[in-house]
Amino acid sequence: MWDLEKAIMITNNDRVYEKYKNDLTVILLNTYEEVLIKTRDLVYDRHKLLTHPQASSLKPNQTPYRSVVVYPKGKEDNTEDILLIEKCIETYRQWQEIAPTPEKYSERVSEDFKTIDLSVVDNIIPRIS
């Protein structure tokens, strides 16, 4: 399938970072929006989306954590991934206008959201490698 060592994970979840930092390149950022923007930048730089930028059943304003995996694609056409990440950024921003994500959650709630994001990643990584 894919060489996990060549994959790049973009996340704002420190638990994901700590768990996977020795298995692949992991970029740790501060916010969900920063994750989407960095993902977009990599997609424009010829990386393929291996995970959907809005995976899980949570709306973009319902969770403060997101992790995305991309893979170097080379010279192949990347139009579908470009359109997808742009749409995800647009959707994120629309949801922030409708009902912004709270700036701060209690520690317990924050850890629950981190766990959800980590479980999505844990289910995807074996399918990549």
Side-chain angles (χ1 to χ4, degrees):
M1 292 200 77
W2 310 98
D3 182 356
L4 191 59
E5 291 180 359
K6 291 182 182 178
I8 300 170
M9 184 177 310
I10 308 98
T11 187
N12 66 327
N13 184 341
D14 60 322
R15 289 179 56 199
V16 169
Y17 175 81
E18 288 301 323
K19 182 167 184 179
Y20 289 101
K21 68 182 180 183
N22 296 320
D23 299 325
L24 68 158
T25 300
V26 183
I27 300 169
L28 181 62
L29 300 170
N30 295 315
T31 68
Y32 187 129
E33 185 174 26
E34 288 176 1
V35 169
L36 293 178
I37 290 169
K38 182 63 177 177
T39 300
R40 180 200 59 201
D41 293 348
L42 288 167
V43 168
Y44 272 101
D45 192 31
R46 296 278 183 197
H47 286 75
K48 174 178 184 49
L49 291 168
L50 293 187
T51 61
H52 195 289
Q54 293 175 329
S56 86
S57 61
L58 295 172
K59 293 181 180 96
N61 65 333
Q62 291 177 319
T63 179
Y65 300 102
R66 177 61 60 208
S67 299
V68 182
V69 180
V70 298
Y71 197 83
K73 189 169 183 173
K75 297 182 181 193
E76 299 171 43
D77 180 40
N78 211 23
T79 305
E80 284 184 35
D81 287 342
I82 289 170
L83 294 173
L84 177 59
I85 189 60
E86 290 290 356
K87 183 65 177 168
C88 290
I89 292 170
E90 178 184 332
T91 300
Y92 170 83
R93 289 178 175 160
Q94 287 173 341
W95 276 105
Q96 291 306 307
E97 288 177 17
I98 294 167
T101 306
E103 289 194 26
K104 184 97 170 134
Y105 286 99
S106 71
E107 186 66 28
R108 193 172 125 208
V109 171
S110 183
E111 287 302 312
D112 286 347
F113 282 128
K114 287 179 183 183
T115 300
I116 292 168
D117 182 55
L118 179 59
S119 79
V120 171
V121 172
D122 285 344
N123 283 309
I124 292 169
I125 291 296
R127 297 175 189 176
I128 292 173
S129 53

